[in-house]
Amino acid sequence: MKKLKAFAAVLVILPALVFGQAAEPVDLQMIKKIKMEGFDNSQVMDIAWHLTELYGPRLSGSPMLHKSLEWSRDKLVEWGLENADLEAWGTFGRGWSTEGYSIEMIEPSYVNMTAAPKAWTAGTDGVITGTPVLVNLQSIDDLKEYEGKLGGKIVLLGRPESPETAFEVMASRHDHEGLQDLAMSTEASSRGGFGNSERFRRFRERRALMNSANAMFKRDGVKLLLEASGRNYGVVRLGSGGSRNMGAEPGMPQMVLAVEHYNHLARLLEKKADVKLRVKIENQFHTEDSLGYNVVAEIPGTDRNLKKELVMLGAHIDSWHPGTGATDNASGTSVMMEAVRILKTIDAQPRRTIRIALWTGEEQGLLGSRGYVGKHFGDRRTMELMPDHENFSAYYNMDNGTGRLRGVYMQGNDAVRPIFEAWLRPFHDLDATTLTIRNTGGTDHLAFDAVGLPGFQFIQDPIEYRTRTHHTHLDTYDHLIESDLKQAAVIIASFVYHTAMRDEKLPRKPLPKPRVNGRRTSP
C-alpha cells in the first residue's frame, strides 16, 4: 500500500516534471493587501470625479485636457511616484473647444433641439436664421445636382431614416455562453476580415462621397451643415468635422442632431412645410502649443539587475467633447491611477520598474501611445528597435468602458496562458475567469503589439458602452459603476505587481516584419 501511495504521488507531480514547468508563483499575501486597500480605501471614484466633473471634456489639444494632464501628474507625485512628467510625444496640431451652442426650430413651432457641434469646425459668427435645405446624396453623380446652388444655405444632409425600436436591454454583462465562446476560440483574429469585406468597401465609398461633398459645400459657401446622430433615443454621437493642422482653413460650421429632431426637420421639409431655424455656435481654436503630451510616472524597481526592465500600465485620458469623457476613458485612466496608488500605499517593492502612462491623441488614431513607443522602443514600420525594447516585459491597457474585468485578450500570445491563469485564479470570486487567444483592437495596447512587445487589453462587461455612452453626450460620471472600477483596479494592480516580480519577462510573440507600402512583408 505504501508503494502504491508513493507511486500515485509521483504521478501527480510527473506532468510538471515532464513538461519542465513549475507552477507560476502567486503572492496571496500581497493580493490580500491589494484587495483590502482597493476595496476598503478606494479613491477611484474621486479620481473619476476630478477627470469628468472638474476637467471634462478632455479633447486632445484643448485647454481642459491640459488641465487634466497637470492634475493627474501632480496627483501621482502626491502619492509618491517618481519621474512624473508631461512628456511630449510629437506634433498634434491645434486645439479646439466649444464655448456655447444652440439650435432651435422657430417655425412652424418652437423646438429646442438636442445637438452638438463637430470638433475642429468653425462657429457661426453670431446668430443665424434660415430655412434649411434637404440634400440627399447617394453617389458622386448626385453632387452635380447641387453644385453652385447651396451658397448661404443651412443644409440637412440625408433623408430621414427612422431608427429601429430597441427591444433588447441597453446595458448588459457577459453571460456564460459568451465567455465560453471567447475562451474556446482557437483563432487570434476577431475582426472578420473587415478590411476586405463588402461592408468596408461601402464604408470607403461613403467616406469618399462625404469628402467630396464637404469640399463642395465649403467651396460653395454653405452656412451650416446638419447631420443625424448614429444613435436613437435622443443620443448625440459625433467626432471631428475639420482639420487640426496648424494653418488649415476651419471646417464649416457643422452640428450633429439627435436623430429624432433631425427626422422631424427632414419630414417637414419633404412635405414642403415652412421651416425656420435659429442657430448660434461659438467655437475656438487654440494655437499656443502644437505638441501632444502624455503623463508618465514610475514606481522604481528594487532589484539591481531587473530595475532597468519595465512593466507598463496605461489608458488614454483624452476624450470627445459632447459629454465629459467618463466611460471613454476616465474609467480606464482612473483605474490605472488607482492601481499604482494601491501599490504605493501598501509599500509594494517591485523588482522591475512600474511605469504608468496616460495617453493623449488616442481618439485621433492612437497618436500618443504610438509616438511614445516610437520614441522609446522601436519603429513599427521599419522594425528598427531601441535598447529599451529588450528591457520591456508587458503593457496592460483599459479602454472599454466602466464594466468589470472578466479576463484578458491574450492577443495571439498563447505562451502567457499558464501565467495569466495562475494570476486570475485568486479573482475567480470576482468573476474574472476568462482567457482568450483572440486579438482585440481600437486602443493603445496595439502600439506595443505592433513592435512585438506584449500588450494586453482586458475583457470587460459591455454595460451600455456601445449602446449609450461611447462618443456621446451621455458619457458622464452618472454612467460609471463604482464596484466594477474597484474590481478592475485591484486585478490590474495584482497583474502589474506579479509581472514586476517574475524572474523572467513575459513571453513574446515573434517580431512583426517591417512594413513595405504600408503592409507587413511576408515571413
Side-chain angles (χ1 to χ4, degrees):
M1 181 63 70
K2 289 182 179 179
K3 289 182 178 180
L4 286 175
K5 287 183 177 179
F7 181 67
V10 170
L11 288 180
V12 170
I13 65 171
L14 185 59
L17 295 176
V18 169
F19 292 102
Q21 293 180 345
E24 181 68 24
V26 178
D27 189 338
L28 295 178
Q29 286 302 311
M30 180 58 70
I31 290 176
K32 180 181 178 181
K33 292 180 181 179
I34 289 172
K35 284 183 173 181
M36 289 178 65
E37 179 61 29
F39 289 125
D40 296 345
N41 303 308
S42 176
Q43 294 185 27
V44 70
M45 295 305 289
D46 182 66
I47 301 167
W49 180 87
H50 279 83
L51 292 175
T52 56
E53 309 278 70
L54 204 57
Y55 298 120
R58 303 172 306 282
L59 186 71
S60 280
S62 69
M64 198 61 79
L65 174 76
H66 199 75
K67 289 180 181 180
S68 74
L69 298 180
E70 292 181 329
W71 178 84
S72 301
R73 176 201 58 199
D74 294 347
K75 182 59 66 172
L76 293 167
V77 171
E78 178 186 317
W79 293 334
L81 276 77
E82 299 183 18
N83 302 319
D85 196 11
L86 302 187
E87 181 180 320
W89 51 259
T91 299
F92 175 78
R94 59 186 175 183
W96 179 93
S97 62
T98 184
E99 308 301 319
Y101 53 89
S102 64
I103 177 168
E104 304 159 291
M105 185 175 75
I106 54 178
E107 292 181 13
S109 60
Y110 181 83
V111 178
N112 193 322
M113 297 192 153
T114 302
K118 285 188 171 183
W120 288 284
T121 58
T124 55
D125 194 20
V127 176
I128 62 172
T129 59
T131 297
V133 176
L134 186 61
V135 172
N136 186 35
L137 300 176
Q138 298 300 321
S139 70
I140 293 290
D141 292 337
D142 294 334
L143 293 176
K144 298 174 185 177
E145 178 184 347
Y146 300 101
E147 190 169 8
K149 300 177 182 178
L150 299 173
K153 303 290 186 182
I154 298 172
V155 169
L156 265 70
L157 188 58
R159 298 185 62 216
E161 294 184 13
S162 295
E164 294 184 6
T165 300
F167 290 99
E168 298 180 356
V169 295
M170 291 293 102
S172 63
R173 293 193 183 273
H174 283 295
D175 57 21
H176 178 74
E177 183 179 348
L179 290 172
Q180 278 292 102
D181 180 62
L182 285 172
M184 298 303 292
S185 178
T186 59
E187 301 258 344
S189 175
S190 62
R191 286 290 176 178
F194 179 72
N196 298 316
S197 67
E198 176 66 16
R199 186 162 67 97
F200 187 56
R201 184 190 66 79
R202 293 196 302 270
F203 167 78
R204 288 187 298 178
E205 288 179 354
R206 186 67 182 173
R207 184 172 62 181
L209 173 60
M210 289 301 99
N211 287 341
S212 297
N214 285 337
M216 185 188 79
F217 295 152
K218 176 75 173 175
R219 185 171 61 248
D220 290 351
V222 166
K223 189 183 296 185
L224 172 66
L225 183 64
L226 301 176
E227 299 177 52
S229 171
R231 296 279 189 273
N232 57 3
Y233 298 104
V235 178
V236 176
R237 184 177 191 271
L238 49 68
S240 174
S243 173
R244 66 177 190 274
N245 293 334
M246 288 286 192
E249 281 286 317
M252 78 189 99
Q254 297 181 50
M255 297 187 87
V256 173
L257 273 67
V259 67
E260 294 85 356
H261 284 162
Y262 182 94
N263 286 347
H264 184 185
L265 288 175
R267 284 190 294 265
L268 286 169
L269 294 173
E270 284 189 324
K271 296 292 187 180
K272 311 299 183 185
D274 292 329
V275 178
K276 184 175 287 187
L277 297 179
R278 180 168 59 210
V279 185
K280 183 179 182 181
I281 307 172
E282 298 176 87
N283 297 336
Q284 186 173 352
F285 290 88
H286 305 279
T287 58
E288 300 83 8
D289 188 350
S290 65
L291 297 180
Y293 299 87
N294 301 316
V295 179
V296 293
E298 294 178 342
I299 302 175
T302 59
D303 186 299
R304 67 176 184 177
N305 295 318
L306 297 180
K307 64 183 180 181
K308 68 179 182 298
E309 296 183 0
L310 280 176
V311 179
M312 290 191 66
L313 68 162
H316 76 87
I317 191 172
D318 64 306
S319 75
W320 284 109
H321 58 286
T324 56
T327 67
D328 188 24
N329 185 35
S331 53
T333 298
S334 301
V335 163
M336 295 310 191
M337 290 181 68
E338 171 69 359
V340 294
R341 185 201 69 80
I342 290 170
L343 294 176
K344 281 298 297 181
T345 301
I346 64 176
D347 195 29
Q349 299 293 314
R351 299 172 71 192
R352 291 177 178 82
T353 294
I354 294 171
R355 182 180 296 168
I356 185 173
L358 307 178
W359 314 113
T360 64
E362 190 272 352
E363 298 292 3
Q364 290 71 45
L366 315 185
L367 300 180
S369 56
R370 284 177 171 167
Y372 183 88
V373 168
K375 181 177 177 181
H376 290 274
F377 303 119
D379 189 313
R380 66 191 179 100
R381 294 177 176 83
T382 65
M383 287 307 297
E384 294 180 13
L385 305 179
M386 299 176 183
D388 276 346
H389 189 280
E390 179 60 29
N391 294 326
F392 190 88
S393 184
Y395 170 73
Y396 300 103
N397 193 76
M398 182 172 163
D399 182 22
N400 285 149
T402 190
R404 65 174 42 206
L405 306 191
R406 307 302 295 273
V408 187
Y409 291 100
M410 294 185 293
Q411 207 70 20
N413 185 356
D414 207 33
V416 300
R417 185 184 295 273
I419 301 167
F420 286 179
E421 282 178 343
W423 293 352
L424 273 183
R425 198 166 294 119
F427 301 103
H428 284 192
D429 62 327
L430 298 178
D431 299 327
T433 61
T434 303
L435 295 174
T436 180
I437 194 65
R438 287 188 190 176
N439 300 329
T440 187
T443 192
D444 293 294
H445 70 290
L446 295 179
F448 294 84
D449 188 73
V451 295
L453 295 174
F456 304 101
Q457 171 79 10
F458 292 88
I459 303 167
Q460 288 182 254
D461 280 336
I463 312 298
E464 53 189 356
Y465 189 58
R466 294 294 177 186
T467 58
R468 279 289 181 269
T469 62
H470 183 246
H471 296 183
T472 77
H473 78 296
L474 297 183
D475 191 9
T476 63
Y477 183 89
D478 306 85
H479 293 273
L480 297 175
I481 301 175
E482 182 174 0
S483 60
D484 287 12
L485 298 183
K486 287 181 177 179
Q487 181 252 26
V490 163
I491 292 173
I492 291 172
S494 177
F495 263 64
V496 168
Y497 175 78
H498 283 90
T499 307
M501 298 301 291
R502 297 186 85 238
D503 289 337
E504 304 293 334
K505 299 189 294 288
L506 285 190
R508 299 183 179 187
K509 298 182 293 186
L511 283 176
K513 300 295 181 181
R515 292 175 181 266
V516 176
N517 298 324
R519 296 178 179 272
R520 294 289 185 196
T521 57
S522 300

